[in-house]
Amino acid sequence: KKLFFTSLAFFLWKSGVAILTVGSIYKGVLDIYGTSGSFEWVYLAVGIVTLAAGGISALLAKKA
């Protein structure tokens, strides 16, 4: 059980960082191009939720 939450925590944390990185690159490309898009907030929200889920999983792994 502890191994599951530890693996889940690492996966979610790394996924959250990747989502925020891709969102930042997307926003940068749009800024350079001179336009705006509607997906910047989606990347930010999903990235933060994923990071929070990874943090909660890490806490659960320490308790288990």
Side-chain angles (χ1 to χ4, degrees), residues 2 4-9 12-15 19 22 29-31 35-36 41-42 52 56 60 62-64:
K2 183 176 182 176
F4 172 73
F5 282 120
T6 304
S7 298
L8 182 65
L12 287 173
W13 187 263
K14 289 179 182 182
S15 296
I19 291 168
V22 169
V29 168
L30 289 181
D31 286 344
T35 187
S36 63
W41 293 105
V42 174
I56 291 170
L60 290 175
K62 287 184 179 182
K63 284 188 174 184

